[in-house]
Amino acid sequence: GQQLNQSPQSMFIQEGEDVSMNCTSSSIFNTWLWYKQEPGEGPVLLIALYKAGELTSNGRLTAQFGITRKDSFLNISASIPSDVGIYFCAGRTSGSRLTFGEGTQLTVNP
Amino acid sequence: DSGVTQTPKHLITATGQRVTLRCSPRSGDLSVYWYQQSLDQGLQFLIQYYNGEERAKGNILERFSAQQFPDLHSELNLSSLELGDSALYFCASSALAGATDTQYFGPGTRLTVL
């Protein structure tokens, strides 16, 4: 089946630092999504990308849909303590079914 | 608050038992999705219903079944439970069933099988 390889698995950074994480796949996706999950909660959509090459920002978050349609990255600038959580990439081919990456656990030290 | 509700929040049961997880989608949403999140496998898509009908099936075991009722709430039934079924089970909903519809996730049900 389809698999998404997300890296890094975990990151420990200082407040104010920039963060970058990415997802790659051997399959082509038509949509890339980035979600954040906090303890005890379900994933919350951060950014959705629908077109190869698309670069989209949401506040301090920026994500890009790779040209090959097999990868995506998420950048967080000037991290703050509330950025702590698990970040998931997700891809969609046809239909509405999502395939998720394994997540990047982000820890921000004040 | 996503508007998706799930009950119960926690469930502890024994191997061999059967449980039912319940999900109420956001008001007006017709699609409901079920996902399993375990420590070693991330979020795995199980099944989707749209307006009462099964729409897509993922890695759902034969011991598991789901349905969506006329009022659009959904139930996920897990039977002959095994230790490996311990996981977080999430429900998500979206307005329709299109490829660009945003899926909103509920807070999850944590199932522990002892």
Side-chain angles (χ1 to χ4, degrees):
Chain A
Q2 295 165 331
Q3 281 191 317
L4 292 183
N5 300 308
Q6 187 171 347
S7 65
Q9 279 190 324
S10 60
M11 302 183 76
F12 297 84
I13 62 169
Q14 293 298 124
E15 183 177 357
E17 288 183 5
D18 296 344
V19 169
S20 186
M21 57 192 80
N22 68 83
C23 262
T24 60
S25 172
S26 56
S27 305
I28 287 175
F29 287 96
N30 294 327
T31 302
W32 282 94
L33 306 160
W34 285 92
Y35 283 84
K36 179 186 178 188
Q37 185 179 16
E38 296 185 23
E41 303 290 332
V44 174
L45 182 65
L46 299 173
I47 292 181
L49 303 156
Y50 299 108
K51 208 165 142 186
E54 182 181 351
L55 184 71
T56 296
S57 292
N58 178 7
R60 293 179 296 105
L61 277 59
T62 301
Q64 183 155 32
F65 190 147
I67 290 289
T68 65
R69 293 163 63 195
K70 293 183 179 181
D71 63 312
S72 176
F73 72 74
L74 174 71
N75 288 340
I76 305 173
S77 62
S79 59
I80 58 178
S82 62
D83 289 334
V84 164
I86 304 176
Y87 291 79
F88 290 98
C89 63
R92 186 154 56 196
T93 50
S94 58
S96 45
R97 167 184 178 163
L98 295 177
T99 299
F100 280 84
E102 292 181 348
T104 295
Q105 171 76 60
L106 178 64
T107 302
V108 180
N109 297 313
Chain B
D1 185 349
S2 66
V4 178
T5 60
Q6 289 186 248
T7 56
K9 196 161 177 61
H10 300 278
L11 198 48
I12 301 175
T13 187
T15 54
Q17 295 298 304
R18 173 188 169 95
V19 298
T20 298
L21 313 184
R22 182 187 168 104
C23 168
S24 292
R26 292 187 325 150
S27 177
D29 282 0
L30 298 179
S31 263
V32 168
Y33 312 77
W34 286 97
Y35 292 86
Q36 180 192 56
Q37 185 178 37
S38 50
L39 278 176
D40 59 347
Q41 294 224 346
L43 274 153
Q44 300 284 325
F45 169 73
L46 296 178
I47 197 163
Q48 176 197 0
Y49 278 81
Y50 173 72
N51 205 19
E53 300 287 327
E54 183 184 302
R55 184 69 172 232
K57 215 165 183 174
N59 303 320
I60 188 166
L61 299 171
E62 284 192 17
R63 299 184 285 109
F64 297 0
S65 64
Q67 54 185 327
Q68 186 179 28
F69 294 86
D71 67 352
L72 300 176
H73 91 272
S74 177
E75 291 180 357
L76 179 67
N77 300 298
L78 315 176
S79 61
S80 302
L81 284 167
E82 302 175 359
L83 295 177
D85 297 327
S86 295
L88 270 166
Y89 290 84
F90 287 103
C91 166
S93 74
S94 67
L96 299 172
T100 57
D101 284 333
T102 298
Q103 292 182 27
Y104 296 89
F105 283 77
T109 292
R110 181 174 292 280
L111 173 66
T112 303
V113 182
L114 300 174

